[in-house]
Amino acid sequence: MSKGIKMRSAKDRHGHSHTVDTLQRMHDDELTIPELVCDGPVCGCAVRFVPRYQQNRANRIEPVDVPAYIGLVKDSEHAAGCRYDAKGQLTAIAAQSDPDFLKSLGDGKRELRLLALHNGLHRHSLSGQPPAVPGSKPAPSPVNNTTTQVVPSDKKLDSYLRTTADLVALRAACESDALLAAEVTLRLGTKRIPWKDFFFERERFDEAWEQVHAGGTNAHPIALAGKVKNHYQPPAGPKARSSFLNCHALYRHTDTPDRLEVFEVSLAHPDGQWLAGFPVGSEVLMFGIWKAADVEEKCAPAKNDPSRIITYVTYKLILSPKFKRQIVAAN
């Protein structure tokens, strides 16, 4: 897997510009794709075009659609200062971050301390104890439990949210976990969290639900990337109710032909106008402490054959963000 950022344009060896869309049309027309280089003004490293393709995965009703992009060739690296230099972007994020949250390890690597973010977003720490008042001493932790930390101040928490949002956006822009996994360790107290257990795209919504459900009230913060399907605003009335932003679901086969599993992801927030600011069809990045709703079963006629009854088993993840920084539009 490459460590680079997915690019939308590049140049050929003659200096002609090519976008992902024009290269995809060339590929579809079975034309030769030229040798490509980064179009960054300070760069020019070798890159490659990866055409759109579909990837079949176990039990999925539909194959995963992987959009076309331009990425690094093997052993190629973007020049320092290039807008596609992922490692340079990571360095810039670290320079603006609270060193207590994104800590330097002295060997060029870094450690993101998720416990501080967790305690800032959750009214209880992972130990189940109420969070300490800022400036007070932490309460003793039970044996074999994660150390309780002081809840960050509003200023520190705002910094933590900004850093996390920047890192999640950088991960979403990259081809894989490879760069961030090599450069940043995710740590929750004494526990190390693999990047695959922190960042989930749509094709892994089922894994995200299973992880949050297993974690219960002690689930650690995770980030999801989804595409907006629709919005829901409740009728006007005296009782305040949340509005919802719903993402396209993941559908999964079961051993029973007429039984399908549906993994849904939604945001709930009182400010429906803010949620509507993320348009239908746009990509969104969402992080925080998610809730796995109870599993629901519903029977309905099949779309293509009304005489056939399908049982839909729905697994729903809901995030009620406390801060608007927890939701960002993907680049």
Side-chain angles (χ1 to χ4, degrees):
M1 287 284 189
S2 174
K3 298 181 180 181
I5 290 175
K6 293 176 285 189
M7 304 164 59
R8 301 295 303 171
S9 64
K11 290 182 178 180
D12 61 27
R13 297 291 181 179
H14 301 289
H16 301 133
S17 296
H18 299 272
T19 66
V20 165
D21 292 337
T22 59
L23 291 169
Q24 183 65 52
R25 285 196 292 270
M26 293 175 65
H27 176 269
D28 294 343
D29 293 338
E30 299 183 349
L31 300 176
T32 302
I33 303 295
E35 290 187 23
L36 300 171
V37 296
C38 176
D39 58 4
V42 300
C43 195
C45 71
V47 296
R48 77 200 191 286
F49 172 65
V50 180
R52 179 179 59 241
Y53 67 95
Q54 291 188 325
Q55 183 183 66
N56 291 314
R57 295 190 62 185
N59 299 326
R60 301 300 193 262
I61 290 179
E62 299 175 345
V64 175
D65 185 28
V66 182
Y69 66 93
I70 299 166
L72 290 167
V73 303
K74 185 178 180 180
D75 298 328
S76 183
E77 295 287 347
H78 290 285
C82 178
R83 64 179 180 272
Y84 298 116
D85 176 19
K87 194 168 182 178
Q89 289 197 24
L90 177 58
T91 300
I93 292 171
Q96 300 174 24
S97 300
D98 188 318
D100 291 333
F101 183 55
L102 185 58
K103 181 178 177 59
S104 174
L105 298 179
D107 58 355
K109 311 300 181 184
R110 298 175 177 87
E111 180 178 271
L112 187 69
R113 297 183 165 180
L114 287 174
L115 185 59
L117 178 65
H118 178 281
N119 285 352
L121 293 177
H122 202 283
R123 62 191 179 95
H124 291 286
S125 68
L126 284 182
S127 67
Q129 309 248 351
V133 176
S136 66
K137 294 182 179 180
S141 297
V143 177
N144 297 326
N145 217 329
T146 306
T147 302
T148 305
Q149 292 186 358
V150 173
V151 173
S153 66
D154 290 346
K155 184 176 180 180
K156 278 187 171 290
L157 180 57
D158 186 69
S159 172
Y160 298 172
L161 292 167
R162 183 178 64 250
T163 296
T164 306
D166 289 344
L167 288 174
V168 169
L170 178 58
R171 166 59 190 92
C174 290
E175 295 181 56
S176 71
D177 290 335
L179 171 85
L180 289 173
E183 300 292 331
V184 179
T185 298
L186 302 175
R187 188 165 297 281
L188 193 74
T190 59
K191 182 180 179 182
R192 183 171 178 172
I193 307 295
W195 270 89
K196 68 179 182 62
D197 292 340
F198 175 72
F199 182 83
F200 299 83
E201 293 172 309
R202 179 190 172 195
E203 60 265 28
R204 296 180 59 230
F205 280 177
D206 52 347
E207 296 175 36
W209 187 92
E210 289 160 4
Q211 180 174 295
V212 173
H213 182 257
T217 57
N218 285 343
H220 63 75
I222 63 170
L224 274 66
K227 178 180 286 188
V228 180
K229 179 181 181 181
N230 56 44
H231 302 87
Y232 169 78
Q233 292 197 19
K239 293 184 178 180
R241 297 176 58 192
S242 290
S243 296
F244 287 88
L245 179 155
N246 302 308
C247 294
H248 284 277
L250 169 69
Y251 292 84
R252 193 168 75 174
H253 283 295
T254 69
D255 294 334
T256 304
D258 293 337
R259 187 179 179 87
L260 301 177
E261 294 179 324
V262 186
F263 293 86
E264 298 181 346
V265 167
S266 296
L267 299 175
H269 197 274
D271 190 346
Q273 288 188 335
W274 170 61
L275 292 179
F278 299 97
V280 170
S282 65
E283 302 281 347
V284 291
L285 307 172
M286 310 156 281
F287 69 90
I289 300 173
W290 294 75
K291 177 183 177 182
D294 293 336
V295 180
E296 296 183 353
E297 292 192 18
K298 182 175 68 174
C299 295
K303 292 181 180 179
N304 300 327
D305 182 4
S307 65
R308 181 186 172 200
I309 302 300
I310 304 295
T311 299
Y312 294 93
V313 185
T314 301
Y315 303 81
K316 194 174 187 69
L317 279 176
I318 301 173
L319 177 65
S320 300
K322 293 186 177 181
F323 304 91
K324 292 183 177 181
R325 282 189 182 273
Q326 291 175 249
I327 319 299
V328 293
N331 294 329

